Amino acid sequence: EIVLTQSSGTLSLSPGERATLSCRASQSVSSSSLAWCQQKPGQAPRLLIYGASSRATGIPDRFSGSGSGTDFTLTISRLEPEDFAVYYCQQYGSSPLTFGGGTKVEIK
Amino acid sequence: QLQLQESGPGLVKPSETLSLTCSVSGGSISSSIYYWGWIRQPPGKVLEWIGSIYNSGSTYYNPSLKSRVTISVDTSKNQFSLKLNSVTAADTAVYYCARDGYNQKRPFDYWGQGTLVTVSS
C-alpha cells in the first residue's frame, strides 16, 4: 500500500498569498497517477488536478500541480477567499487507492 | 452533467449490516468505461477507499475491508450498492460514492454529496 504524507497539517495564509502544499509517497507513484482535491466543510471533495499536473475541467489556472515519483506539490498562486479549504492528495496508480491526511489552508 | 446520489439508513446498530445505494444520473453505468466506487470519511479523519465495481460486476476492494464488504451493480436501475457487515462504531463515517477512473488512469472525478452513517445502539 502506498502511504501518502502531507506534512503541513495547516497553512495559515492571507488572501492574495501563494500556497505551496506537499505530498510525499512511500513509494513511487506509477505514471504520475497523483491527484489533488479540495474539500470544504459539509461538501464532497472536488477534483482539482490529475496526472500530477493536469487541471480538471473548470479549475482556475491559479491552481497548478507538479512532481513525479514520490514528491508532489500543489501550488495556489494567489489565494482567493473561496480557496480556504482542506486539500487532499490521492494516488490511483496502484491498488489499494489511497489518500493523504490532508492540509488545511486557513485564513491568517 | 453526471450526478451521483447516495441513499440509505443513517443509523445502523452494531454487528448489523450497513447498506447504501448510489443512484447515477446524467450518464449510463452500463455503457461507461469507468468503475464506480465507495469512499468513506470518519468524522474529522482521512478519506478511505472501500472498493469499486465495473458494469460487468467485476470488483476490487481495499484489503483492509475486503472481508466485510460487498459491492454490487444494477445496470437496469443505473445504481450500485454497498454492503458492509458486522459494523462497529469505527464504521461511523460519511460515505461517498464516486466515479472511479482507475482502469483509465484517472482519479475519482464525480462524487456524490455523501451520507452520514452512524453506528450506534
Side-chain angles (χ1 to χ4, degrees), chain A residues 31 35 39 43-45 47 50 88 90 92-97 99-101, chain B residues 39 41 45-47 49 60 62-63 96 100 102 105-109 111-112:
Chain A
S31 305
Q39 188 177 36
Q43 296 185 18
L47 177 65
Y50 65 95
Y88 294 97
Q90 183 226 328
Y92 52 98
S94 64
S95 182
L97 312 179
F99 294 85
Chain B
I39 304 102
Q41 186 173 35
K45 295 189 179 180
V46 185
L47 294 158
W49 170 66
Y60 70 123
N62 191 326
Y96 297 98
D100 175 4
Y102 179 59
K105 296 191 186 304
R106 293 290 298 264
F108 295 107
D109 51 7
W111 295 66

Side-chain angles (χ1 to χ4, degrees), chain A residues 18 23 34 43 52 54 58 62 65 68 74 79 81 87 89 91 93-94:
Chain A
R18 182 184 189 89
C23 176
L34 192 286
Q43 296 185 18
S54 298
R62 63 180 181 272
S68 64
L74 173 69
L79 283 165
Y87 293 83
C89 55
Q91 70 81 22
S94 64

